[in-house]
């Protein structure tokens, strides 16, 4: 909302510096986001009057114009066609900043010699002044413009750019802002009663108004003006509209806009002679009813949209836009001026469905009050009589089915203190509320006041709303800052929050960089993970109003985005890349919100270490990825087993399912070579994925201390030859099954000469320890022997000689 | 025999003198102090001598032994020191060569910021709570005094989920703010409550340098008996002081959010222009960082709480802006592009 300072000054005296005013308004809830000065570039330009027009001695199309500037006269060369003796014009002295009409660039006026005649100054067009695009002739100022005054003083103004919150439709008006300033500065508002001379012919005999749907239209008022002349608005009016960001059109439309900006009440003017049957009917549209709106677009309405109709057809979409069939054109002579109140939700719905947001819509949908219709209508009628002539019919049409009185609200000083945490006196509270136009009456209790909000404050519903009024006018900076003094509430933190933090910190310790990617993705992206085309499983949730196809679905996994990130980083990063993301995936559930498990996914590619002068530049492999998973799990005290996996996007052999206590919690493996090209990946990629929400219950177990044994350990190495089908897990399980075996670790796995084909060699280091005594060599050898024979009988393992 | 001992001592010590390597010391020791050495033999043979001789020779032999041992010790020390001198003086060693590289990972700057802010609140007795990102219209809007057709909905363009179940009248959406958790928290846990709610939020917004369709917020909610706006102000001032530093100027002004009354907005002085106005702060000198207010009585009532008994405050802040302000990051999209050249800077 833009408000002109000159306009405000018609309603309120502003005695404090502008910066302070802006600060007060901002603190009180109406943010001043800028204060541009219009006419800031009008230096060296003054109001002049044409006192002589003579032909140019050397050119037919040019004239020599003498302009009176008050203290001096100046004769300049001019080519404009619209010169008239006595007209007031904008005269630019040498050095004035003007806009070059051809290039649009700002330039400084220099003295010039045109066809032999020196010209030091010029009469400017609107375009040259930067006021509008008009360059057909020089700008003619109003007759009242005082000769010799600087144009900046005459046309210039300061515009307050205000951010008005949606609860304050009353502040979408000059008067509303003036009221705020009045309360904030202790000044009083100059608001005169408006009256005009009306004809003897009563309005009721010329128009009838019927409200069929009072739920959508609480009040409908209108005035009638006959014998008007549609014309251009005077300069001052046009300038004000321009300063407030509206385009002047003609005196009638301009007045409706002007009064809307001034009072906050949208108005609409109909050409009375185009209203059939001399009747206004306010009703819901019929389903599929069509109207051509003012912008000449055919609009199809539904039965929940409100129209203004005459006896035969809709003539306006109520509160949203007028109809072309009743528009005030240049030939109009009689006006029906509408000032009505409509249901906010209905206007919002219609405005957004028809995609016709407008200044009027914005005011209606925020809930202006029916009481506003009459003052605004009187003001507009008065202005039209002034600017377009004509006679107003006697009286106003006023149908008001939605009349209701404001309920008084009880406010106590205790209540104010209870909310704000600071005590304000009864008198101070009453004085603040009164300054805002609230009616304050005593109540039964001495510390309590009965407050009735003025009609324009549609946002005031209950006592806390009044507390805010008190606080914001006195100033939020008068509220002290205290620390919470209540007892600490009981804490029951969700353990997943801690698990996520622990996992994140572990992973960065392992050298992983965290990424955060969009939860919204495309079906293309999800399909890249499939090795053959088929429907996605699970079916991802789709947006009803996606912005783009790239962000149409909610992700069901993290891998697609990670692989994509890996590929895009590979374009500029040739070292190792370890990435992870920890976030939600969204799995649909019937008739409910989706489940949103927290998933961890990581990818690795390239070398294990950065290339170093000490060597050691080897590549990632499956066991690197598995090592990360094992490391993570051991840090959260979870024991997992790794079983043959069946994940479609992973290498059919080089993958394992992570099983904890019989539950699948994740996978680790190499990306399927069929999948990597879809992501534009040409290297081998290792990936792991853990569903932290499934893992969580196993991380919460109770841990028991293991005593440190004081008897020495004895270490033995064994080497075995087994069938290639035998797994490390099988061997290690058998060895660990002996109670005196403290630890088993594999230190070599080998296939090839001299091991016969179909066989492999595995070498283990076994650590023996007894909790009760120092073991002897004999004792250890016996256990070792038993181990070997069990390995032989169950797995066919032979000791390697 | 005494003479023999004296000669032995001189000879042996002369030999020790000539030893130049630490490892030769051991063979010297074995030779002259070991079990088979001449000295040991002499000491053993003492028993066969008459008492008078035994005393004098024994005493001398032990004296010689002690002499040799201390000389050995001294020699070892001297050689060691010499060796250290050589090791530390003569060897060429380039300490400027880089260390063996360890893989270094980085937490995402948004995660770092979230943890930093959460930790400040945790230290003030707040509990972290998380909730669903796909949410019902009720929790995101209706329960917060934002019914259908409310103009406040226009300021939070919503991404709606295409939910196929037609029997279900409820509308599913991607939450537009973490405030959507407020009523859920109040419904689940009776007061006193002190929670913060970090998380992702979504808007129907084309991305540009300052907007992305997904970003992060932290909401806070305190409900108890006797909570006041002064407590809200004090809590937020303390958080800003700890996060942005002691001297940062703060502005606390009236603002409007449908679910609080009175409502407030907090801004901090722009660090780029120190309050003089610049492009970053839109010439205002202030950077708005959060919206706040006293929990609206209707919201409390919806959670079954009596606003005559309980009161509360709530606040919500955008998280992405904070590292942007701190590190002068000029494009929010960098957070979500996964570019390691960006992420490895934090
Ligand atoms: Zn700044």
């Amino acid at each position: 909302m833009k408000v002109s300072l000159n306009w405000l000054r018609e309603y309120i005296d502003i005695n404090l510096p502008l910066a302070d005013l802006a600060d007060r308004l901002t603190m009180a809830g109406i943010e001043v986001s800028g204060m541009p000065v219009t006419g800031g570039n009008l230096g060296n330009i003054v109001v002049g009057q044409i006192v002589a027009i003579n032909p140019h001695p050397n050119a037919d199309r040019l004239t020599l114009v003498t302009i009176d500037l008050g203290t001096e006269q100046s004769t300049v060369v001019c080519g404009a066609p619209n010169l008239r003796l006595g007209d007031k014009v904008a005269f630019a002295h040498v050095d004035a900043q003007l806009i070059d009409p051809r290039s649009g660039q700002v330039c400084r006026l220099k003295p010039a010699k045109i066809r032999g005649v020196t010209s030091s100054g010029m009469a400017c067009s609107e375009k040259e002044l930067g006021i509008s695009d008009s360059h057909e002739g020089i700008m003619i100022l109003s007759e009242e413009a005082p000769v010799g005054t600087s144009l900046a003083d005459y046309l210039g103004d300061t515009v307050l750019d205000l951010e008005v919150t949606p609860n304050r439709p009353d502040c979408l008006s000059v008067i509303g802002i003036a009221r705020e300033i009045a309360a904030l500065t202790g000044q009083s508002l100059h608001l005169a009663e408006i009256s005009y001379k009306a004809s003897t012919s009563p309005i009721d005999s010329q128009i009838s108004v019927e409200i069929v749907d009072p739920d959508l239209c609480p009040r409908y008022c209108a005035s009638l003006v006959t014998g008007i002349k549609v014309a251009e608005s005077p300069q001052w009016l046009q300038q004000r509209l321009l300063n407030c960001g509206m385009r002047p059109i003609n005196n009638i439309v301009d007045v409706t806009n002007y009064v809307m900006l001034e009072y906050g009440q949208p108005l609409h003017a109909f050409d009375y002679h185009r209203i059939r049957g001399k009747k206004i009917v306010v009703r819901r549209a019929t389903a599929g009813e069509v109207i051509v709106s003012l912008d000449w677009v055919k609009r199809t309405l539904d039965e929940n949209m409100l129209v203004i109709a005459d006896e035969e057809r809709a003539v306006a979409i109520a509160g949203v836009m007028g109809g072309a069939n009743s528009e005030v054109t240049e030939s109009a002579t009689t006006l029906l001026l509408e000032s009505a109140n409509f249901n906010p939700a209905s206007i919002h719905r219609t405005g957004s469905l028809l995609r016709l947001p407008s200044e009027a819509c914005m005011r209606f949908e925020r809930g202006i009050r029916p009481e506003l219709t009459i003052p605004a209508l009187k003001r507009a009628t008065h202005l039209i009589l002034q600017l377009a002539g004509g006679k107003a019919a006697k009286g106003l049409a006023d149908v008001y089915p939605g009349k209701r009185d404001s309920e008084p609200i009880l406010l106590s000083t205790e209540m104010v203190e209870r909310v704000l945490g600071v005590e304000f006196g009864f008198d101070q509270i009453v004085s603040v509320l009164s300054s805002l136009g609230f009616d304050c009456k005593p109540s039964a209790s001495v510390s309590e006041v009965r407050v009735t909000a003025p009609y324009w404050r549609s946002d005031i519903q209950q006592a806390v709303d009044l507390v805010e009024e008190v606080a914001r006018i006195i100033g939020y900076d008068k509220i002290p800052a205290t620390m919470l003094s209540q007892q600490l509430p009981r804490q029951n933190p969700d353990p997943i929050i801690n698990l996520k933090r622990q996992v994140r910190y572990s992973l960065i310790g392992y050298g992983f960089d965290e990424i955060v990617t969009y939860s919204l993705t495309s079906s293309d992206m999800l399909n890249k993970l499939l090795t053959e085309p088929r429907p996605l499983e699970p079916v991802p949730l789709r947006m009803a109003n996606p912005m783009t196809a790239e962000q149409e679905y909610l992700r069901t996994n993290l891998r697609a985005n990670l692989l994509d990130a890996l590929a895009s980083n590979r374009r500029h990063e040739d070292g190792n890349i370890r990435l992870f993301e920890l976030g939600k995936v969204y799995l649909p559930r019937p008739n409910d919100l989706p489940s949103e498990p927290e998933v961890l996914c990581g990818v690795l590619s390239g070398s294990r270490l950065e290339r170093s002068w000490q060597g050691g530049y080897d590549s990632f492999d499956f066991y690197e990825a598995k090592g990360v998973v094992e490391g993570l799990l051991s840090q959260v005290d979870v024991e997992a087993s790794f079983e043959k996996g069946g994940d479609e996007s992973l290498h059919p052999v080089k993958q394992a399912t992570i099983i904890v206590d019989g539950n699948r919690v994740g996978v680790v493996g190499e990306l399927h070579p069929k999948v990597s090209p879809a992501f534009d990946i040409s290297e081998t990629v290792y990936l792991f994925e853990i569903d932290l929400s499934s893992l969580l219950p196993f991380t919460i177990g109770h841990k028991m201390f293991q005593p440190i044994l004081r008897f020495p350990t004895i270490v033995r190495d064994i080497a075995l030859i087994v069938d290639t089908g035998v797994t490390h897990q099988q061997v290690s399980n058998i060895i660990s099954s002996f109670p005196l075996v403290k630890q088993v670790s594999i230190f070599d796995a080998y296939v090839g000469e001299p091991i016969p084909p179909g066989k492999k060699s595995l070498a283990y280091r076994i650590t023996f320890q007894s909790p009760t005594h120092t073991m002897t060599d004999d004792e250890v050898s016996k256990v070792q022997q038993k181990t070997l024979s069990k390995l032989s009988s169950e797995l066919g393992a032979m000791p390697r000689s | 025999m005494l003479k023999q001992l004296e000669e032995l001592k001189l000879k042996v010590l002369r030999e020790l003198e000539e030893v130049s390597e630490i490892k030769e010391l051991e063979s010297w020791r074995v030779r002259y102090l070991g079990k088979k050495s001449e000295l040991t033999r002499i000491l053993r043979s003492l028993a066969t001598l008459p008492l008078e001789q035994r005393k004098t020779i024994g005493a001398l032999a032990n004296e010689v032994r002690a002499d040799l041992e201390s000389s050995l010790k001294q020699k070892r020390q001297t050689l060691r020191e010499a060796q250290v001198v050589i090791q530390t003086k003569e060897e060429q060693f380039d300490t400027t060569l880089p260390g063996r590289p360890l893989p270094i990972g980085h937490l995402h700057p948004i995660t770092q910021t979230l943890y930093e802010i959460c930790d400040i609140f945790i230290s003030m007795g707040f509990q972290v709570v998380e909730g669903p990102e796909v949410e019902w219209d009720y929790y995101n809007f209706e329960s917060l005094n934002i019914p259908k057709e409310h103009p406040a909905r226009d300021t939070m363009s919503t991404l709606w989920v295409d939910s196929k179940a037609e029997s279900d009248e409820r509308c599913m959406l991607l939450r537009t703010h973490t405030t959507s958790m407020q009523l859920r928290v109040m419904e689940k846990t009776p007061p006193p409550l002190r929670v913060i709610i970090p998380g992702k939020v979504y808007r129907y917004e084309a991305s540009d340098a300052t907007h992305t369709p997904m970003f992060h917020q932290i909401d806070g909610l305190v409900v108890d008996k006797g909570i006041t706006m002064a407590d809200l102000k004090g809590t937020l001032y303390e958080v800003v002081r700890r996060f942005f530093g002691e001297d940062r100027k703060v502005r606390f002004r009236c603002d409007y959010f449908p679910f609080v009354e009175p409502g407030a907005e907090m801004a901090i002085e722009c660090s780029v222009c120190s309050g003089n106005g610049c492009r970053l702060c839109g010439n205002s000198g202030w950077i708005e960082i959060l919206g706040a207010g006293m929990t609206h009585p209707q919201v409390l009532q919806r959670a079954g709480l009596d606003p005559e008994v309980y009161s509360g405050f709530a606040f919500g802040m955008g998280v992405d802006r904070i590292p942007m302000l701190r590190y002068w990051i000029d494009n929010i999209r960098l957070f979500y592009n996964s570019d390691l050249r960006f992420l490895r800077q934090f």
Side-chain angles (χ1 to χ4, degrees):
Chain A
M1 166 85 185
K2 292 177 191 296
V3 173
S4 140
L5 192 64
N6 290 344
W7 202 343
L8 273 175
R9 286 197 157 113
E10 291 180 12
Y11 288 99
I12 182 93
D13 295 334
I14 296 170
N15 300 327
L16 69 173
L18 266 190
D20 293 355
L21 177 71
D23 191 48
R24 295 297 306 273
L25 281 169
T26 300
M27 287 297 290
I30 299 161
E31 188 181 358
V32 181
S33 58
M35 291 189 289
V37 176
T38 67
N41 289 329
L42 298 179
N44 281 323
I45 307 174
V46 295
V47 176
Q49 186 168 27
I50 301 177
V51 289
I53 304 174
N54 292 302
H56 191 287
N58 309 319
D60 289 345
R61 284 183 29 256
L62 298 176
T63 40
L64 293 181
V65 188
T66 305
I67 297 173
D68 178 14
L69 304 173
T71 52
E72 51 171 334
Q73 290 198 345
S74 180
T75 301
V76 294
V77 179
C78 190
N82 61 334
L83 296 168
R84 258 182 16 201
L85 218 54
D87 271 357
K88 304 270 178 77
V89 298
F91 179 85
H93 286 289
V94 166
D95 243 16
Q97 264 190 48
L98 296 174
I99 310 242
D100 182 325
R102 274 172 296 275
S103 70
Q105 299 292 309
V106 175
C107 56
R108 278 190 186 279
L109 185 64
K110 295 187 197 79
K113 208 172 201 183
I114 303 172
R115 298 272 180 118
V117 178
T118 309
S119 201
S120 50
M122 68 184 276
C124 309
S125 72
E126 289 185 14
K127 185 158 189 181
E128 284 161 336
L129 294 169
I131 288 172
S132 80
D133 279 343
S134 166
H135 190 56
E136 285 80 57
I138 55 167
M139 181 180 184
I140 309 297
L141 303 175
S142 124
E143 283 171 36
E144 304 96 67
V147 170
T149 333
S150 91
L151 201 67
D153 286 349
Y154 176 60
L155 286 184
D157 197 354
T158 300
V159 176
L160 303 182
D161 266 328
L162 304 172
E163 310 284 332
V164 176
T165 54
N167 59 325
R168 295 297 303 273
D170 61 306
C171 286
L172 293 170
S173 69
V174 175
I175 293 177
I177 299 299
R179 282 199 186 102
E180 285 288 301
I181 296 172
L184 287 168
T185 61
Q187 299 286 327
S188 52
L189 211 61
H190 319 310
L191 205 55
E193 185 66 32
I194 290 163
S195 62
Y196 48 84
K197 242 181 96 179
S199 73
T200 50
S201 150
I203 190 165
D204 299 347
S205 63
Q206 297 169 76
I207 191 82
S208 74
V209 174
E210 183 194 353
I211 299 178
V212 177
D213 290 303
D215 57 326
L216 300 188
C217 178
R219 189 177 196 180
Y220 194 97
C221 306
S223 70
L224 193 76
V225 186
T226 53
I228 53 123
K229 169 120 187 54
V230 178
E232 217 174 70
S233 296
Q235 200 81 53
W236 64 267
L237 177 53
Q238 294 199 22
Q239 197 54 48
R240 275 217 175 143
L241 291 178
L242 284 167
N243 286 351
C244 297
M246 298 195 90
R247 285 189 69 80
I249 295 169
N250 60 41
N251 51 2
I252 306 302
V253 177
D254 292 353
V255 165
T256 60
N257 283 333
Y258 187 83
V259 174
M260 175 177 73
L261 293 175
E262 193 169 50
Y263 279 69
Q265 167 71 47
L267 301 154
H268 183 66
F270 296 101
D271 181 343
Y272 170 72
H273 292 300
R274 298 170 77 180
I275 302 291
R276 296 180 186 167
K278 314 272 173 260
K279 190 172 182 186
I280 288 289
V281 182
V282 186
R283 58 162 170 87
R284 283 183 160 84
T286 51
E289 186 168 359
V290 169
I291 182 171
V292 176
S293 49
L294 273 177
D295 52 359
W296 292 95
V297 178
K298 211 174 171 185
R299 312 274 176 184
T300 308
L301 310 178
D302 70 33
E303 68 272 29
N304 283 318
M305 295 175 177
L306 191 72
V307 295
I308 311 301
D310 60 17
E311 210 172 50
E312 296 169 18
R313 69 235 160 112
V315 292
I317 309 163
V320 176
M321 199 181 248
N325 56 13
S326 55
E327 186 185 0
V328 176
T329 57
E330 274 180 42
S331 59
T333 57
T334 305
L335 276 188
L336 180 70
L337 198 56
E338 166 199 290
S339 177
N341 188 271
F342 302 113
N343 175 292
S346 160
I347 297 293
H348 183 262
R349 180 179 172 276
T350 308
S352 39
L353 282 176
L354 298 178
R355 293 178 199 282
L356 275 175
S358 65
E359 292 276 329
C361 255
M362 183 169 76
R363 287 168 174 82
F364 282 127
E365 70 193 20
R366 287 161 194 228
I368 48 173
R369 290 285 285 268
E371 288 90 335
L372 185 58
T373 53
I374 294 289
L377 184 58
K378 283 186 178 166
R379 168 71 166 155
T381 309
H382 182 56
L383 269 175
I384 282 174
L385 292 172
Q386 271 181 11
L387 303 177
K391 274 211 156 64
K394 192 177 158 199
L396 300 170
D398 184 3
V399 181
Y400 194 177
K403 190 172 167 63
R404 64 190 161 92
D405 291 324
S406 299
E407 289 288 317
I409 302 166
L410 284 176
L411 181 71
S412 63
T413 50
E414 291 83 19
M415 169 80 177
V416 174
E417 188 180 352
R418 197 164 82 85
V419 175
L420 300 179
V422 58
E423 196 185 339
F424 290 121
F426 182 85
D427 294 343
Q428 196 179 7
I429 292 169
V430 168
S431 133
V432 165
L433 292 173
S434 308
S435 75
L436 285 162
F438 290 74
D439 178 51
C440 298
K441 293 236 158 56
S443 83
S445 156
V446 285
S447 66
E448 202 171 51
V449 59
R450 287 165 69 87
V451 183
T452 310
Y455 72 81
W456 57 86
R457 291 302 301 271
S458 52
D459 59 313
I460 303 295
Q461 311 284 344
Q462 42 187 303
V464 276
D465 298 328
L466 297 174
V467 176
E468 181 179 83
E469 294 306 304
V470 171
R472 72 184 187 89
I473 298 299
I474 293 176
Y476 275 23
D477 41 5
K478 300 289 188 298
I479 300 173
T482 55
M483 294 301 281
L484 287 166
S485 57
Q486 284 76 1
Q487 265 191 9
L488 283 182
R490 195 174 283 201
Q491 305 271 319
N492 293 299
D494 185 345
I496 190 84
I497 292 169
N498 195 30
L499 178 64
K500 287 195 291 181
R501 206 184 258 226
Q502 203 178 348
V503 164
R504 281 197 173 102
Y505 278 110
S506 294
L507 280 166
I508 62 163
Y510 299 160
F512 281 76
D513 291 311
E514 186 187 21
I515 63 170
V516 176
T517 65
Y518 292 120
S519 313
L520 286 165
T521 186
S522 64
S523 58
D524 277 0
M525 187 62 95
L526 294 169
N527 276 313
K528 286 181 181 182
L529 292 165
L530 304 179
T531 48
E532 54 199 50
R534 58 170 176 77
L536 288 169
E537 178 58 43
V539 182
L541 279 173
R542 199 185 152 268
M543 293 299 106
N545 58 335
M547 283 174 293
T548 61
E550 280 73 51
Q551 305 210 319
E552 188 176 355
Y553 293 94
L554 276 170
R555 67 185 178 192
T556 50
N557 62 61
L558 302 183
R559 331 168 155 181
N561 286 351
L562 270 160
L563 292 169
D564 192 47
L566 176 72
S568 66
N569 275 295
R570 191 46 92 203
R571 275 172 224 133
H572 52 76
E573 173 60 64
D574 49 3
N576 57 42
I577 297 182
R578 296 175 174 90
L579 296 178
F580 81 96
E581 178 164 16
L582 199 174
K584 288 174 166 187
V585 299
Y586 311 83
L587 309 175
R589 288 187 294 201
N591 295 318
D592 201 354
L593 296 174
S595 70
E596 300 182 4
E598 296 276 2
V599 175
L600 165 72
C601 185
V603 292
L604 308 85
S605 91
S607 61
R608 293 188 63 229
L609 294 172
E610 291 305 327
R611 199 176 283 279
S612 160
W613 58 278
Q614 286 161 308
Y617 186 78
D618 52 351
S619 288
F620 284 132
D621 58 13
F622 171 85
Y623 298 103
E624 180 82 17
K626 189 180 173 189
V628 172
V629 172
E630 289 171 327
L632 275 180
L633 293 177
S634 102
Q635 270 176 302
V636 296
D637 284 314
V638 170
E639 257 185 68
S641 63
F642 293 81
E643 293 179 7
K644 214 169 152 52
D647 189 299
E648 177 181 2
S649 313
L650 298 181
H651 190 292
V653 177
K654 295 184 191 166
Q655 65 161 299
T657 304
I658 308 165
I659 308 280
V660 177
D661 211 5
N663 299 275
R664 182 196 176 282
V665 299
V667 286
V668 52
E670 183 181 315
L671 189 65
H672 199 298
K674 266 184 168 173
V675 171
S676 31
F679 288 95
D680 219 0
I681 292 173
S682 53
E683 59 191 328
T684 318
V685 173
Y686 299 92
L687 178 152
F688 58 87
E689 201 172 71
I690 300 176
D691 178 343
L692 294 184
S693 298
S694 309
L695 183 70
L696 181 67
F698 307 107
T699 64
I700 303 171
H702 184 59
K703 200 169 179 170
M704 290 278 280
F705 156 75
Q706 296 294 319
I708 296 159
L709 300 182
R710 57 191 179 89
F711 301 102
T713 56
I714 294 179
V715 168
R716 293 285 169 86
D717 290 348
I718 60 167
L720 303 167
I721 292 182
V722 293
D723 288 348
T724 46
V726 172
T727 66
H728 154 74
Q729 186 82 60
Q730 290 172 298
V731 176
S732 141
N733 284 349
I734 287 177
I735 302 174
S736 322
S737 66
F738 289 88
L740 292 171
V741 171
K742 175 88 176 161
Q743 203 187 342
V744 191
S745 59
I746 182 162
F747 64 88
D748 188 44
Y750 176 75
V751 183
E753 284 295 326
I755 311 298
K759 302 275 183 189
K760 63 181 174 185
S761 155
L762 300 175
Y764 289 88
R765 168 155 294 187
I766 309 173
T767 308
F768 297 90
Q769 192 180 28
S770 161
T772 55
H773 62 281
T774 300
M775 290 178 80
T776 62
D777 271 2
D778 276 358
E779 208 180 348
V780 169
S781 297
K782 263 184 209 155
V783 181
Q784 187 178 344
Q785 205 45 55
K786 277 190 204 156
T787 310
L788 286 172
S789 48
K790 193 168 178 191
L791 287 168
S792 160
S793 64
E794 294 193 8
L795 301 175
M798 300 300 293
R800 186 179 174 187
S801 44
Chain B
M1 201 152 211
L2 286 170
K3 197 177 171 222
Q4 203 184 334
L5 267 171
E6 283 295 341
E7 276 168 11
L8 179 69
K9 181 179 154 191
L10 287 175
K11 170 182 162 250
V12 168
L13 284 177
R14 213 177 302 123
E15 250 180 69
L16 183 64
E17 198 75 5
E18 278 154 24
V19 172
S20 61
E21 299 270 338
I22 282 187
K23 54 183 181 256
E24 287 168 25
L25 284 179
E26 181 57 14
S27 59
W28 180 90
R29 189 192 65 81
V30 171
R31 218 172 321 135
Y32 300 114
L33 284 167
K35 285 177 190 166
K36 289 170 186 165
S37 67
E38 200 172 338
L39 188 63
T40 309
R41 199 167 42 77
I42 290 170
L43 279 166
R44 277 208 199 107
S45 67
L46 282 179
T48 61
L49 294 177
L51 185 67
E52 194 64 11
Q53 260 184 320
R54 204 189 295 173
K55 257 188 182 163
T56 46
I57 294 178
L60 182 66
N62 276 326
E63 196 180 303
V64 168
R65 182 181 187 97
D67 267 5
L68 293 187
E69 275 172 353
S70 83
S71 302
L72 174 66
K73 201 173 160 193
Q74 210 169 349
K75 180 75 183 181
R76 186 174 278 137
Q77 181 69 19
T78 315
L79 286 178
R80 259 196 204 133
E81 274 165 18
Q83 199 177 25
V84 168
V85 167
I86 292 166
Q87 276 175 351
T88 53
K89 251 191 185 165
E90 291 176 11
E91 202 173 325
Q92 290 295 323
F93 192 79
D94 185 356
T95 54
T96 67
L97 281 168
R100 225 177 276 273
L102 285 176
I104 307 291
H106 302 82
L107 274 192
H108 194 280
I110 298 278
T111 309
Q112 294 182 30
T113 310
L114 281 169
Y115 283 166
E116 197 179 337
I117 298 172
C118 285
D119 285 345
I120 294 175
F121 280 108
I122 289 169
S123 76
M124 294 165 75
F126 283 73
Q127 182 181 320
V128 180
V129 175
E130 294 176 336
E133 292 170 22
V134 183
E135 188 52 281
W136 299 116
D137 185 309
Y138 177 73
Y139 286 109
N140 196 76
F141 288 130
E142 299 269 344
S143 70
L144 299 170
N145 296 341
I146 314 173
K148 292 206 170 51
E149 311 300 346
H150 191 288
R153 288 201 182 204
D154 297 346
T155 61
M156 291 190 278
S157 321
T158 308
L159 277 157
W160 297 93
V161 175
D162 185 11
S163 42
K164 284 178 190 84
E166 278 167 20
S167 58
D168 212 330
E169 298 258 299
R170 297 173 293 176
C171 288
M172 224 187 260
L173 49 77
L174 300 191
R175 66 176 176 193
T176 58
H177 49 189
T178 41
T179 319
S180 62
M181 271 300 285
Q182 281 199 5
L183 201 71
R184 282 185 179 275
V185 169
M186 283 190 267
E187 282 173 347
K188 201 177 150 199
T189 318
L193 267 178
R194 251 186 235 192
V195 296
I196 41 162
I197 307 146
K200 291 182 176 130
V201 300
Y202 302 84
R203 300 276 171 90
Y204 185 98
E205 240 163 40
S207 58
D208 60 27
T210 50
H211 298 88
T212 43
M214 180 185 89
F215 52 98
H216 294 77
Q217 282 188 344
I218 294 182
D219 251 68
L221 177 68
V222 171
V223 181
D224 203 342
K225 290 174 184 162
I227 301 291
T228 69
M229 192 126 178
D231 296 331
L232 167 64
K233 203 171 160 180
T235 303
L236 295 178
Y237 273 48
E238 174 66 5
V239 170
V240 166
R241 184 188 70 81
R242 285 180 57 184
F243 194 89
F244 293 100
E246 203 75 51
D247 304 325
R248 190 63 85 93
K249 277 201 197 121
V250 178
R251 183 181 76 184
F252 190 73
R253 60 174 280 265
C254 178
D255 202 351
Y256 166 75
F257 305 96
F259 39 90
V260 289
E261 187 74 21
E265 176 227 76
M266 201 155 107
I268 53 168
E269 193 179 67
C270 176
S271 59
V272 174
C273 63
S274 309
N276 294 317
C278 68
R279 209 168 57 94
L280 180 76
C281 56
N283 272 320
S284 69
W286 296 101
I287 308 266
E288 292 160 18
I289 54 163
L290 58 83
M294 301 305 293
T295 307
H296 200 287
Q298 285 166 6
V299 176
L300 291 171
Q301 275 163 345
R302 244 171 240 127
L305 301 175
D306 182 354
E308 298 291 318
V309 178
Y310 289 104
S311 57
F313 67 68
F315 55 87
M317 65 172 103
V319 174
D320 302 47
R321 284 196 79 184
I322 290 171
M324 289 179 80
L325 291 172
R326 198 182 249 195
Y327 307 116
W328 297 25
I329 297 166
D330 58 0
N331 192 334
I332 189 176
R333 286 173 293 194
L334 285 166
F335 290 129
Y336 306 107
N337 287 347
S338 306
D339 190 328
L340 287 171
R341 292 169 297 185
F342 173 74
L343 297 172
R344 284 178 175 166
Q345 295 181 33
F346 301 99

